[in-house]
Amino acid sequence: AGVQQPDMSKFKDEDEGSEPEQQHDVVKPQPKKKETKKWMKAEVAEKDKPLDDPIAEKMRQQRLVEEADFAAAAELFGKSSGSGLNLATFLPKTVKDFEDYAAELVDRFVIPHKDSKNFKVLIKA
């Protein structure tokens, strides 16, 4: 009257005397190192490097504070015209600054004239 229950720990075609599974070593991928460009290092080093003259250092810190305040105010009021560079007063120093300056010049002064019949003359010059 006892019904024999099948062994549910193994499948039907699984061998009784099979050897245990081998553990494979899984190599976890290493996270990629964040690539830093040469100009990034120069820009960070230039801004963070304290000056020898205490007055010049104070002026440098004041300029950095003003730049940060201006950027925060521009973001707050939604200034969306390009990067927001003031081309009249901007003095590029690093390669990145010059790239930003060139991009802003092109956006403001070259691209608006792309539909002109003399656009090629502007580009050639």
Side-chain angles (χ1 to χ4, degrees), residues 7-20:
D7 185 14
M8 299 302 276
S9 65
K10 296 187 179 205
F11 292 107
K12 289 181 185 178
D13 55 346
E14 189 174 16
D15 294 335
E16 291 281 329
S18 66
E19 53 188 70

Side-chain angles (χ1 to χ4, degrees), residues 21-123:
E21 292 184 25
Q22 296 178 356
Q23 293 290 332
H24 296 286
D25 293 333
V26 177
V27 178
K28 293 182 181 178
Q30 297 293 325
K32 291 184 178 181
K33 293 180 181 178
K34 189 172 183 181
E35 208 175 286
T36 56
K37 305 278 185 200
K38 289 180 182 178
W39 56 265
M40 291 174 124
K41 291 178 183 178
E43 185 176 336
V44 170
E46 181 180 312
K47 286 188 176 185
D48 291 341
K49 182 180 175 187
L51 301 174
D52 294 336
D53 185 17
I55 295 172
E57 174 63 18
K58 195 169 199 174
M59 295 291 287
R60 183 187 71 85
Q61 288 179 351
Q62 179 66 29
R63 182 179 50 85
L64 291 174
V65 168
E66 288 175 357
E67 287 176 358
D69 289 346
F70 179 73
E75 182 180 338
L76 178 67
F77 294 115
K79 181 161 180 130
S80 62
S81 63
S83 62
L85 293 177
N86 183 356
L87 296 179
T89 59
F90 182 66
L91 299 172
K93 296 176 183 166
T94 64
V95 173
K96 177 67 174 147
D97 288 345
F98 278 100
E99 289 173 352
D100 292 344
Y101 189 67
E104 192 68 24
L105 284 171
V106 169
D107 286 344
R108 286 190 189 181
F109 300 112
V110 177
I111 299 297
H113 302 289
K114 70 179 179 180
D115 295 329
S116 173
K117 64 181 180 178
N118 297 320
F119 184 69
K120 290 182 181 179
V121 175
L122 172 66
I123 298 300

